[in-house]
Amino acid sequence: MNKKLLALFLVLAVMLLAPACKKKAAGQMNSEAMLAMVPEAPAALVGFNLQQLTSLEFFDKMLKEGVQKQAGAGKAFKDYADFKQQTGIDLQKDVFAAVVAVYGNFDSENPELAVIVNMKYDAAKLLAVLKDKQVIAAEESYRDLTLYTLKDDGEGKAQDMRLAFLNKANIALGSPVSVKKVVDLERKQGQNVLKTAALMKHVEPLNKKGLFWMVIGSIPGKMKESAGGGMMPVDLSKAEAFTLFADFRSQTLSGELRMVSRDEAGNKQIADMLNGLKALGAMGAAKEPELGQLLNGIQLTSAADHVKLTFSLTEELMNKLGAKAKDKAQSMAVPAPAEPTEEPFADLPQESTTE
């Protein structure tokens, strides 16, 4: 198993698998409070309420199945109980929130990355597991902390990654420069993302206490160029940002996706085009009732400074859609038996051969 993937699994699986915890634990933070730990000027930010995230039945099931596939003989862990025993981390209680920041150009193969996870953990025990699984390639000191280089097995073009145990409640993972900047902030030096006004003006209005939220403050050039071609071209030249937030309450997932663009005519064109596609999709609702329910839960509007998509989906509908998608994927994976083909000249009389 790729050593970096194992390290990411240890940290990110912990991020994603913790079900809801009703009582606030010592050191627990939400993603909004964690922004002070994020270095300035990212191109994109994503925040997760990990406790609410895994309260979704289908999501929790999907992730647990993923963990099971990584367990067993010859794997890093025999099973989930072995993971819990070795790491000392109880996924039902010990993980709270995470923030992911992306720096640089999205067109780059390896943009700078910083991930901060708020959790309860034993640094010595977790480090012992990483070393035992031969994930750590090297160590270096930075300020009063140790940064751990995650081993690269030479498979593909993996990015150089560092891991740091910031304090008793937070872990940082990411590219070397970004992790060092996170450490600087932990030591009360440097500027955090709260000082990046161009991005924060899009972050501040979002509901950051829900399931998750995201802001992309630098639209990739390739995306703008590709949107101008094709059969239904749209003008994204004035697009400034994409924002997204989602919440899960009363067994319903709801949220909003917004493109910020100060182009009223262009915004209306995009909304009209998307509503047209929605109408075409609704034509198949008679045969696919779940599709009709999905489309009824989506609304598209535009204004002088944005295009907005709002959505509302029940957990029951998401489970049905997930089951259908799984069935279709399985049916596509099994090739249909080949139909017998007739010889094109089978009806012609065969030429006899005589000695």
Side-chain angles (χ1 to χ4, degrees):
M1 181 178 185
N2 185 294
K3 305 301 181 183
K4 285 189 178 178
L5 291 178
L6 174 58
L8 288 170
F9 172 77
L10 287 173
V11 177
L12 298 179
V14 167
M15 286 167 52
L16 295 172
L17 288 173
C21 174
K22 295 181 180 179
K23 187 176 179 180
K24 190 172 182 179
Q28 183 174 351
M29 303 167 66
N30 57 38
S31 62
E32 186 171 16
M34 293 172 67
L35 289 175
M37 304 173 66
V38 177
E40 64 180 336
L45 273 175
V46 187
F48 295 94
N49 177 343
L50 300 175
Q51 295 177 332
Q52 191 185 99
L53 185 64
T54 52
S55 68
L56 294 172
E57 180 182 340
F58 85 94
F59 198 84
D60 186 58
K61 180 181 178 181
M62 177 183 69
L63 289 172
K64 287 182 177 178
E65 287 177 352
V67 170
Q68 191 63 34
K69 290 178 181 178
Q70 295 293 333
K75 301 289 186 178
F77 304 101
K78 296 177 182 177
D79 50 30
Y80 173 72
D82 185 40
F83 170 86
K84 180 178 175 181
Q85 190 278 325
Q86 289 194 48
T87 63
I89 297 170
D90 187 341
L91 299 181
Q92 296 182 346
K93 299 178 181 179
D94 298 337
V95 187
F96 315 123
V99 173
V100 180
V102 181
Y103 298 84
N105 192 333
F106 279 103
D107 295 334
S108 169
E109 289 187 3
N110 290 314
E112 295 285 322
L113 181 72
V115 181
I116 303 168
V117 189
N118 178 231
M119 57 187 287
K120 178 184 175 183
Y121 70 101
D122 183 328
K125 195 163 189 176
L126 185 54
L127 179 60
V129 172
L130 293 172
K131 288 185 174 181
D132 180 63
K133 308 303 179 186
Q134 299 180 359
V135 172
I136 304 299
E139 301 179 10
E140 64 177 293
S141 295
Y142 183 72
R143 295 188 178 275
D144 58 342
L145 288 181
T146 301
L147 305 186
Y148 301 95
T149 301
L150 304 184
K151 186 173 291 186
D152 180 4
D153 286 342
E155 299 177 6
K157 297 181 179 179
Q159 187 176 9
D160 188 13
M161 300 288 281
R162 299 288 186 275
L163 175 70
F165 301 114
L166 298 175
N167 49 47
K168 293 181 179 180
N170 294 287
I171 291 176
L173 175 73
S175 50
V177 172
S178 297
V179 170
K180 287 180 179 179
K181 288 181 179 180
V182 173
V183 174
D184 290 340
L185 289 173
E186 172 65 17
R187 298 303 181 259
K188 311 301 181 184
Q189 294 189 7
Q191 297 290 334
N192 62 36
V193 71
L194 299 175
K195 303 294 184 180
T196 307
L199 186 68
M200 289 306 299
K201 70 180 181 181
H202 302 300
V203 175
E204 288 168 355
L206 297 180
N207 171 17
K208 293 180 284 297
K209 296 181 179 180
L211 188 65
F212 72 92
W213 56 269
M214 177 180 70
V215 173
I216 299 176
S218 177
I219 310 301
K222 289 183 179 179
M223 180 183 294
K224 291 185 177 183
E225 292 171 6
S226 62
M231 296 179 63
M232 293 181 289
V234 296
D235 183 7
L236 297 184
S237 61
K238 297 181 180 178
E240 299 177 17
F242 286 111
T243 68
L244 171 67
F245 71 83
D247 200 3
F248 184 71
R249 307 284 176 184
S250 303
Q251 280 68 56
T252 300
L253 177 69
S254 61
E256 174 190 295
L257 171 65
R258 183 181 296 233
M259 183 187 78
V260 180
S261 176
R262 304 185 190 284
D263 180 3
E264 185 170 7
N267 295 342
K268 184 178 184 304
Q269 177 198 10
I270 294 171
D272 289 346
M273 182 193 71
L274 294 176
N275 276 315
L277 293 175
K278 177 183 171 183
L280 287 174
M283 295 173 64
K287 295 182 179 180
E288 298 281 353
E290 291 84 4
L291 175 62
Q293 295 177 51
L294 173 65
L295 293 174
N296 286 336
I298 296 175
Q299 303 298 324
L300 290 148
T301 58
S302 69
D305 62 352
H306 69 262
V307 179
K308 181 172 67 175
L309 181 154
T310 58
F311 59 89
S312 179
L313 308 172
T314 65
E315 185 173 24
E316 179 183 8
L317 176 59
M318 288 188 291
N319 288 334
K320 288 180 179 179
L321 291 171
K324 281 206 165 189
K326 187 175 181 179
D327 290 342
K328 286 186 178 181
Q330 290 176 343
S331 64
M332 291 174 66
V334 179
E339 295 183 1
T341 59
E342 296 183 356
E343 290 292 335
F345 305 109
D347 295 335
L348 295 179
Q350 299 296 312
E351 180 180 351
S352 60
T353 59
T354 58
E355 294 289 337

